[in-house]
Amino acid sequence: MKLLTKLPLVALFAVITLFSCSTDSIDDKVDAIELNLVNVEAKSIEVEILDLINDHRLSKGLNPLTEMNLVKSVAYTHTDYMVDKDEVSHANFYTRSNYLKTNAGAKTVSENVAYGYSTAQGVVNAWLKSDAHKANLEGDFTNFDVSAEKNKEGRWYYTNIFIKK
């Protein structure tokens, strides 16, 4: 195959893997996992992501979202999973969603994931350029949190979870 015919396939793969989001309506095909929740100290990049999202929401006349330790812990479990698998995914979203509905009083749950962005501004800008991710950032939610972890090569993985109580 010539390089020019491969280029659209490479671009499509990059878009699918770099930008991904999930909502309650997605049926999880992956076997359920047990969530091993931990208290995680916020990193500066995570605080900056949350601030950028709330700044964007405020600029659109939307309510700011409140951070929630339980949401952060659930996000961390998924980010850690992605780092271990070395792939960006929404695997086991249904488990995370149900857990937050049961334990955080969430009525709806959604998430954005990403990898490879080295700055908070970079990952938030990427989410804002994607209609589905932007819909989550601007959605009817009350709480959120984010987890950012590096793999052994130093590449960041992100899980940003939104809930409405």
Side-chain angles (χ1 to χ4, degrees):
M1 216 185 273
K2 293 183 180 179
L3 179 60
L4 289 178
T5 59
K6 289 182 184 178
L7 193 55
L9 294 174
V10 171
L12 177 62
F13 177 76
V15 168
I16 290 169
T17 58
L18 288 178
F19 309 114
S20 189
C21 67
S22 186
T23 64
D24 280 337
S25 63
I26 293 177
D27 189 23
D28 207 340
K29 303 286 190 226
V30 179
D31 290 333
I33 60 164
E34 182 178 329
L35 294 175
N36 296 314
L37 302 181
V38 294
N39 280 330
V40 184
E41 191 74 26
K43 296 174 186 67
S44 60
I45 194 169
E46 295 166 338
V47 172
E48 190 176 350
I49 289 168
L50 297 176
D51 288 344
L52 288 167
I53 291 169
N54 269 337
D55 288 349
H56 174 77
R57 289 179 63 85
L58 289 168
S59 77
K60 299 293 184 185
L62 302 168
N63 64 301
L65 303 177
T66 304
E67 298 167 39
M68 188 176 209
N69 288 337
L70 184 58
V71 173
K72 178 168 199 56
S73 185
V74 172
Y76 173 80
T77 64
H78 185 59
T79 306
D80 192 47
Y81 171 87
M82 291 191 301
V83 168
D84 286 348
K85 296 287 186 184
D86 201 26
E87 65 181 31
V88 67
S89 76
H90 289 289
N92 304 302
F93 174 76
Y94 187 72
T95 301
R96 289 188 297 286
S97 177
N98 280 341
Y99 185 88
L100 289 168
K101 288 176 180 178
T102 301
N103 296 287
K107 304 242 184 291
T108 58
V109 180
S110 194
E111 73 181 14
N112 289 344
V113 297
Y115 81 100
Y117 296 94
S118 59
T119 66
Q121 189 70 62
V123 72
V124 172
N125 285 347
W127 284 332
L128 287 171
K129 289 178 183 174
S130 160
D131 290 340
H133 294 95
K134 185 177 180 181
N136 285 340
L137 295 179
E138 296 177 354
D140 184 19
F141 299 107
T142 55
N143 300 86
F144 72 154
D145 224 309
V146 67
S147 171
E149 299 296 325
K150 286 184 179 180
N151 69 5
K152 60 187 173 218
E153 289 84 29
R155 184 175 302 157
W156 286 101
Y157 282 76
Y158 304 91
T159 304
N160 186 197
I161 297 178
F162 305 85
I163 70 169
K164 180 178 181 174
K165 290 178 108 182

CSV table of all heavy atoms in Angstrom, one decimal, residues 85-131:
chain,number,residue,atom,x,y,z
A,85,LYS,N,-1.9,-1.5,31.2
A,85,LYS,CA,-2.2,-2.1,29.9
A,85,LYS,C,-1.5,-1.4,28.7
A,85,LYS,O,-1.4,-1.9,27.6
A,85,LYS,CB,-3.7,-2.1,29.6
A,85,LYS,CG,-4.5,-2.9,30.5
A,85,LYS,CD,-4.3,-4.4,30.3
A,85,LYS,CE,-5.3,-5.2,31.1
A,85,LYS,NZ,-5.1,-6.6,31.0
A,86,ASP,N,-1.0,-0.2,29.0
A,86,ASP,CA,-0.3,0.7,28.0
A,86,ASP,C,-1.2,1.0,26.8
A,86,ASP,O,-0.9,0.9,25.7
A,86,ASP,CB,1.0,0.1,27.5
A,86,ASP,CG,1.9,1.2,26.9
A,86,ASP,OD1,1.8,2.3,27.3
A,86,ASP,OD2,2.8,0.8,26.1
A,87,GLU,N,-2.5,1.2,27.2
A,87,GLU,CA,-3.5,1.6,26.1
A,87,GLU,C,-4.6,2.5,26.7
A,87,GLU,O,-4.9,2.4,27.9
A,87,GLU,CB,-4.1,0.4,25.5
A,87,GLU,CG,-5.0,-0.4,26.4
A,87,GLU,CD,-5.6,-1.7,25.8
A,87,GLU,OE1,-5.0,-2.3,24.9
A,87,GLU,OE2,-6.7,-2.1,26.2
A,88,VAL,N,-5.1,3.4,25.9
A,88,VAL,CA,-6.2,4.3,26.4
A,88,VAL,C,-7.5,3.5,26.1
A,88,VAL,O,-7.6,3.0,25.0
A,88,VAL,CB,-6.1,5.7,25.7
A,88,VAL,CG1,-6.3,5.6,24.2
A,88,VAL,CG2,-7.0,6.6,26.4
A,89,SER,N,-8.4,3.5,27.0
A,89,SER,CA,-9.6,2.8,26.8
A,89,SER,C,-10.7,3.2,27.9
A,89,SER,O,-10.4,4.0,28.8
A,89,SER,CB,-9.4,1.3,27.0
A,89,SER,OG,-9.3,1.0,28.4
A,90,HIS,N,-11.9,2.8,27.6
A,90,HIS,CA,-13.0,2.9,28.6
A,90,HIS,C,-13.4,1.6,29.2
A,90,HIS,O,-14.5,1.4,29.7
A,90,HIS,CB,-14.2,3.5,27.9
A,90,HIS,CG,-14.1,5.0,27.5
A,90,HIS,ND1,-14.0,6.0,28.5
A,90,HIS,CD2,-13.9,5.5,26.3
A,90,HIS,CE1,-13.8,7.1,27.8
A,90,HIS,NE2,-13.8,6.9,26.6
A,91,ALA,N,-12.4,0.6,29.2
A,91,ALA,CA,-12.7,-0.7,29.7
A,91,ALA,C,-13.3,-0.6,31.1
A,91,ALA,O,-12.8,0.2,31.9
A,91,ALA,CB,-11.4,-1.5,29.7
A,92,ASN,N,-14.3,-1.4,31.4
A,92,ASN,CA,-14.9,-1.4,32.7
A,92,ASN,C,-15.6,-0.2,33.1
A,92,ASN,O,-15.8,0.1,34.3
A,92,ASN,CB,-13.9,-1.9,33.8
A,92,ASN,CG,-13.2,-3.2,33.4
A,92,ASN,OD1,-13.9,-4.2,33.2
A,92,ASN,ND2,-11.9,-3.2,33.2
A,93,PHE,N,-16.0,0.7,32.1
A,93,PHE,CA,-16.7,1.9,32.5
A,93,PHE,C,-18.0,1.6,33.3
A,93,PHE,O,-18.3,2.3,34.2
A,93,PHE,CB,-17.1,2.7,31.2
A,93,PHE,CG,-17.9,3.9,31.5
A,93,PHE,CD1,-17.4,5.0,32.1
A,93,PHE,CD2,-19.3,3.9,31.3
A,93,PHE,CE1,-18.2,6.1,32.4
A,93,PHE,CE2,-20.1,4.9,31.6
A,93,PHE,CZ,-19.6,6.1,32.2
A,94,TYR,N,-18.7,0.6,32.8
A,94,TYR,CA,-20.0,0.2,33.5
A,94,TYR,C,-19.7,-0.1,35.0
A,94,TYR,O,-20.6,0.4,35.8
A,94,TYR,CB,-20.6,-1.0,32.8
A,94,TYR,CG,-21.9,-1.4,33.3
A,94,TYR,CD1,-23.0,-0.6,33.0
A,94,TYR,CD2,-22.1,-2.5,34.1
A,94,TYR,CE1,-24.3,-1.0,33.4
A,94,TYR,CE2,-23.4,-2.9,34.5
A,94,TYR,CZ,-24.5,-2.1,34.2
A,94,TYR,OH,-25.7,-2.4,34.6
A,95,THR,N,-18.6,-0.7,35.4
A,95,THR,CA,-18.3,-1.0,36.8
A,95,THR,C,-18.1,0.4,37.5
A,95,THR,O,-18.6,0.6,38.6
A,95,THR,CB,-17.0,-1.9,36.9
A,95,THR,OG1,-17.3,-3.1,36.2
A,95,THR,CG2,-16.7,-2.1,38.3
A,96,ARG,N,-17.3,1.3,36.9
A,96,ARG,CA,-17.0,2.6,37.5
A,96,ARG,C,-18.3,3.4,37.7
A,96,ARG,O,-18.6,4.0,38.7
A,96,ARG,CB,-16.0,3.4,36.7
A,96,ARG,CG,-14.6,2.8,36.8
A,96,ARG,CD,-13.6,3.7,36.1
A,96,ARG,NE,-13.8,3.9,34.7
A,96,ARG,CZ,-13.5,3.0,33.8
A,96,ARG,NH1,-13.1,1.8,34.1
A,96,ARG,NH2,-13.7,3.3,32.5
A,97,SER,N,-19.2,3.4,36.7
A,97,SER,CA,-20.4,4.1,36.7
A,97,SER,C,-21.3,3.5,37.8
A,97,SER,O,-21.9,4.3,38.6
A,97,SER,CB,-21.1,4.0,35.3
A,97,SER,OG,-22.4,4.6,35.4
A,98,ASN,N,-21.5,2.2,37.8
A,98,ASN,CA,-22.3,1.6,38.9
A,98,ASN,C,-21.8,1.9,40.3
A,98,ASN,O,-22.6,2.1,41.2
A,98,ASN,CB,-22.5,0.1,38.7
A,98,ASN,CG,-23.5,-0.1,37.6
A,98,ASN,OD1,-24.4,0.7,37.3
A,98,ASN,ND2,-23.5,-1.3,37.0
A,99,TYR,N,-20.5,1.8,40.4
A,99,TYR,CA,-19.9,2.1,41.7
A,99,TYR,C,-20.2,3.5,42.2
A,99,TYR,O,-20.6,3.8,43.3
A,99,TYR,CB,-18.4,1.9,41.7
A,99,TYR,CG,-17.8,2.0,43.0
A,99,TYR,CD1,-17.7,1.0,43.9
A,99,TYR,CD2,-17.3,3.3,43.5
A,99,TYR,CE1,-17.1,1.1,45.2
A,99,TYR,CE2,-16.7,3.4,44.7
A,99,TYR,CZ,-16.7,2.3,45.6
A,99,TYR,OH,-16.1,2.5,46.8
A,100,LEU,N,-20.1,4.5,41.3
A,100,LEU,CA,-20.4,5.9,41.6
A,100,LEU,C,-21.8,6.1,41.9
A,100,LEU,O,-22.2,7.0,42.7
A,100,LEU,CB,-19.8,6.8,40.6
A,100,LEU,CG,-18.3,6.9,40.6
A,100,LEU,CD1,-17.7,7.6,39.3
A,100,LEU,CD2,-17.7,7.6,41.8
A,101,LYS,N,-22.7,5.4,41.2
A,101,LYS,CA,-24.1,5.6,41.4
A,101,LYS,C,-24.5,5.0,42.8
A,101,LYS,O,-25.3,5.6,43.5
A,101,LYS,CB,-24.9,4.8,40.3
A,101,LYS,CG,-24.9,5.6,39.0
A,101,LYS,CD,-25.6,4.8,37.9
A,101,LYS,CE,-25.5,5.6,36.6
A,101,LYS,NZ,-26.1,4.8,35.5
A,102,THR,N,-23.9,3.9,43.2
A,102,THR,CA,-24.2,3.3,44.5
A,102,THR,C,-23.5,4.0,45.6
A,102,THR,O,-24.1,4.2,46.7
A,102,THR,CB,-23.7,1.8,44.5
A,102,THR,OG1,-24.3,1.1,43.4
A,102,THR,CG2,-23.9,1.1,45.8
A,103,ASN,N,-22.3,4.5,45.5
A,103,ASN,CA,-21.5,5.0,46.6
A,103,ASN,C,-21.4,6.5,46.6
A,103,ASN,O,-21.0,7.1,47.7
A,103,ASN,CB,-20.1,4.4,46.6
A,103,ASN,CG,-20.2,2.9,46.8
A,103,ASN,OD1,-20.5,2.4,47.9
A,103,ASN,ND2,-20.0,2.1,45.8
A,104,ALA,N,-21.6,7.2,45.5
A,104,ALA,CA,-21.5,8.7,45.5
A,104,ALA,C,-22.9,9.3,45.3
A,104,ALA,O,-22.9,10.5,45.2
A,104,ALA,CB,-20.5,9.1,44.5
A,105,GLY,N,-23.9,8.5,45.1
A,105,GLY,CA,-25.2,9.1,44.8
A,105,GLY,C,-25.4,9.7,43.4
A,105,GLY,O,-26.2,10.5,43.2
A,106,ALA,N,-24.5,9.2,42.5
A,106,ALA,CA,-24.6,9.8,41.1
A,106,ALA,C,-25.8,9.3,40.4
A,106,ALA,O,-26.2,8.1,40.6
A,106,ALA,CB,-23.3,9.3,40.4
A,107,LYS,N,-26.4,10.2,39.7
A,107,LYS,CA,-27.6,9.8,38.8
A,107,LYS,C,-27.1,9.5,37.4
A,107,LYS,O,-27.6,8.6,36.7
A,107,LYS,CB,-28.6,10.9,38.8
A,107,LYS,CG,-29.1,11.4,40.2
A,107,LYS,CD,-30.6,11.1,40.3
A,107,LYS,CE,-31.1,11.6,41.6
A,107,LYS,NZ,-30.7,10.9,42.8
A,108,THR,N,-26.1,10.3,37.0
A,108,THR,CA,-25.4,10.0,35.7
A,108,THR,C,-23.9,10.1,35.9
A,108,THR,O,-23.4,10.8,36.7
A,108,THR,CB,-25.9,11.0,34.6
A,108,THR,OG1,-25.6,12.4,35.0
A,108,THR,CG2,-27.3,10.9,34.3
A,109,VAL,N,-23.2,9.4,35.0
A,109,VAL,CA,-21.8,9.4,35.0
A,109,VAL,C,-21.2,9.4,33.6
A,109,VAL,O,-21.8,8.8,32.7
A,109,VAL,CB,-21.2,8.1,35.7
A,109,VAL,CG1,-19.7,8.0,35.8
A,109,VAL,CG2,-21.8,7.9,37.1
A,110,SER,N,-20.2,10.1,33.4
A,110,SER,CA,-19.5,10.2,32.1
A,110,SER,C,-18.0,10.4,32.3
A,110,SER,O,-17.6,10.8,33.4
A,110,SER,CB,-20.1,11.4,31.3
A,110,SER,OG,-19.7,11.2,29.9
A,111,GLU,N,-17.3,10.0,31.3
A,111,GLU,CA,-15.8,10.2,31.4
A,111,GLU,C,-15.2,10.5,30.1
A,111,GLU,O,-15.6,10.2,29.0
A,111,GLU,CB,-15.2,9.0,32.0
A,111,GLU,CG,-15.0,7.8,31.1
A,111,GLU,CD,-14.4,6.6,31.8
A,111,GLU,OE1,-14.2,6.5,33.0
A,111,GLU,OE2,-14.0,5.6,31.0
A,112,ASN,N,-14.0,11.3,30.2
A,112,ASN,CA,-13.1,11.5,29.1
A,112,ASN,C,-11.8,10.8,29.5
A,112,ASN,O,-11.4,10.9,30.6
A,112,ASN,CB,-12.9,13.0,28.9
A,112,ASN,CG,-14.1,13.8,28.4
A,112,ASN,OD1,-15.0,13.2,27.8
A,112,ASN,ND2,-14.0,15.1,28.5
A,113,VAL,N,-11.2,10.2,28.5
A,113,VAL,CA,-9.8,9.7,28.7
A,113,VAL,C,-8.9,10.2,27.6
A,113,VAL,O,-9.4,10.7,26.5
A,113,VAL,CB,-9.8,8.2,28.7
A,113,VAL,CG1,-10.6,7.6,29.9
A,113,VAL,CG2,-10.3,7.6,27.4
A,114,ALA,N,-7.6,10.2,27.9
A,114,ALA,CA,-6.7,10.7,26.8
A,114,ALA,C,-5.3,10.2,27.3
A,114,ALA,O,-5.1,9.7,28.4
A,114,ALA,CB,-6.7,12.2,26.7
A,115,TYR,N,-4.4,10.3,26.3
A,115,TYR,CA,-3.0,10.0,26.7
A,115,TYR,C,-2.1,10.8,25.8
A,115,TYR,O,-2.5,11.3,24.7
A,115,TYR,CB,-2.7,8.5,26.6
A,115,TYR,CG,-2.4,8.0,25.2
A,115,TYR,CD1,-1.1,7.8,24.8
A,115,TYR,CD2,-3.4,7.7,24.3
A,115,TYR,CE1,-0.8,7.3,23.5
A,115,TYR,CE2,-3.1,7.2,23.1
A,115,TYR,CZ,-1.8,7.1,22.7
A,115,TYR,OH,-1.6,6.6,21.4
A,116,GLY,N,-0.8,11.0,26.2
A,116,GLY,CA,0.2,11.6,25.4
A,116,GLY,C,0.3,13.1,25.5
A,116,GLY,O,1.3,13.6,25.0
A,117,TYR,N,-0.6,13.8,26.1
A,117,TYR,CA,-0.5,15.2,26.3
A,117,TYR,C,0.4,15.5,27.5
A,117,TYR,O,0.2,15.0,28.6
A,117,TYR,CB,-1.9,15.9,26.4
A,117,TYR,CG,-2.7,15.7,25.2
A,117,TYR,CD1,-3.6,14.6,25.1
A,117,TYR,CD2,-2.5,16.5,24.1
A,117,TYR,CE1,-4.3,14.4,23.9
A,117,TYR,CE2,-3.3,16.3,22.9
A,117,TYR,CZ,-4.1,15.2,22.9
A,117,TYR,OH,-4.8,15.0,21.7
A,118,SER,N,1.3,16.4,27.3
A,118,SER,CA,2.3,16.7,28.4
A,118,SER,C,1.9,17.9,29.3
A,118,SER,O,2.5,18.1,30.3
A,118,SER,CB,3.7,17.0,27.8
A,118,SER,OG,3.6,18.1,26.9
A,119,THR,N,0.8,18.6,28.9
A,119,THR,CA,0.4,19.7,29.7
A,119,THR,C,-1.1,19.7,30.0
A,119,THR,O,-1.9,19.1,29.2
A,119,THR,CB,0.7,21.1,29.1
A,119,THR,OG1,-0.1,21.2,27.9
A,119,THR,CG2,2.2,21.2,28.7
A,120,ALA,N,-1.6,20.3,31.0
A,120,ALA,CA,-3.0,20.4,31.3
A,120,ALA,C,-3.7,21.1,30.2
A,120,ALA,O,-4.8,20.7,29.7
A,120,ALA,CB,-3.2,21.1,32.7
A,121,GLN,N,-3.2,22.2,29.7
A,121,GLN,CA,-3.8,23.0,28.7
A,121,GLN,C,-3.9,22.1,27.4
A,121,GLN,O,-4.9,22.2,26.7
A,121,GLN,CB,-3.0,24.3,28.4
A,121,GLN,CG,-3.7,25.2,27.4
A,121,GLN,CD,-4.9,25.9,28.1
A,121,GLN,OE1,-4.7,26.6,29.0
A,121,GLN,NE2,-6.0,25.7,27.5
A,122,GLY,N,-2.9,21.3,27.1
A,122,GLY,CA,-2.9,20.5,25.9
A,122,GLY,C,-4.1,19.5,25.9
A,122,GLY,O,-4.8,19.3,25.0
A,123,VAL,N,-4.2,18.8,27.1
A,123,VAL,CA,-5.3,17.8,27.1
A,123,VAL,C,-6.7,18.4,27.2
A,123,VAL,O,-7.6,18.0,26.5
A,123,VAL,CB,-5.1,16.8,28.3
A,123,VAL,CG1,-5.4,17.4,29.7
A,123,VAL,CG2,-6.0,15.5,28.1
A,124,VAL,N,-6.8,19.5,27.9
A,124,VAL,CA,-8.1,20.2,27.9
A,124,VAL,C,-8.5,20.8,26.5
A,124,VAL,O,-9.6,20.6,26.0
A,124,VAL,CB,-8.2,21.3,29.0
A,124,VAL,CG1,-9.5,22.2,28.9
A,124,VAL,CG2,-8.1,20.7,30.4
A,125,ASN,N,-7.5,21.4,25.8
A,125,ASN,CA,-7.7,21.8,24.4
A,125,ASN,C,-8.2,20.7,23.5
A,125,ASN,O,-9.1,20.9,22.7
A,125,ASN,CB,-6.5,22.5,23.9
A,125,ASN,CG,-6.3,23.9,24.5
A,125,ASN,OD1,-7.1,24.5,25.1
A,125,ASN,ND2,-5.1,24.4,24.3
A,126,ALA,N,-7.5,19.6,23.7
A,126,ALA,CA,-7.9,18.4,22.8
A,126,ALA,C,-9.3,18.0,23.1
A,126,ALA,O,-10.1,17.7,22.2
A,126,ALA,CB,-6.9,17.2,23.1
A,127,TRP,N,-9.7,17.9,24.4
A,127,TRP,CA,-11.1,17.6,24.7
A,127,TRP,C,-12.1,18.6,24.2
A,127,TRP,O,-13.2,18.3,23.7
A,127,TRP,CB,-11.3,17.4,26.2
A,127,TRP,CG,-10.7,16.1,26.7
A,127,TRP,CD1,-10.5,14.9,26.1
A,127,TRP,CD2,-10.2,15.9,28.1
A,127,TRP,NE1,-10.0,14.0,26.9
A,127,TRP,CE2,-9.8,14.5,28.1
A,127,TRP,CE3,-10.1,16.7,29.2
A,127,TRP,CZ2,-9.2,14.0,29.3
A,127,TRP,CZ3,-9.5,16.1,30.3
A,127,TRP,CH2,-9.1,14.8,30.4
A,128,LEU,N,-11.7,19.9,24.2
A,128,LEU,CA,-12.6,20.9,23.7
A,128,LEU,C,-12.8,20.9,22.2
A,128,LEU,O,-13.8,21.3,21.6
A,128,LEU,CB,-12.1,22.3,24.1
A,128,LEU,CG,-12.3,22.6,25.6
A,128,LEU,CD1,-11.6,23.9,26.0
A,128,LEU,CD2,-13.8,22.7,25.9
A,129,LYS,N,-11.8,20.3,21.5
A,129,LYS,CA,-11.9,20.2,20.0
A,129,LYS,C,-12.7,19.0,19.6
A,129,LYS,O,-13.0,18.9,18.4
A,129,LYS,CB,-10.5,20.1,19.4
A,129,LYS,CG,-9.7,21.4,19.5
A,129,LYS,CD,-8.3,21.3,19.0
A,129,LYS,CE,-7.5,22.6,19.2
A,129,LYS,NZ,-6.1,22.4,18.8
A,130,SER,N,-13.1,18.2,20.5
A,130,SER,CA,-13.9,17.0,20.2
A,130,SER,C,-15.3,17.2,20.7
A,130,SER,O,-15.5,17.5,21.9
A,130,SER,CB,-13.3,15.8,20.8
A,130,SER,OG,-14.2,14.7,21.0
A,131,ASP,N,-16.3,17.1,19.8
A,131,ASP,CA,-17.7,17.4,20.2
A,131,ASP,C,-18.1,16.5,21.4
A,131,ASP,O,-18.8,17.0,22.3
A,131,ASP,CB,-18.6,17.2,19.0
A,131,ASP,CG,-18.5,18.2,17.9
A,131,ASP,OD1,-18.0,19.3,18.2
A,131,ASP,OD2,-18.9,18.0,16.8
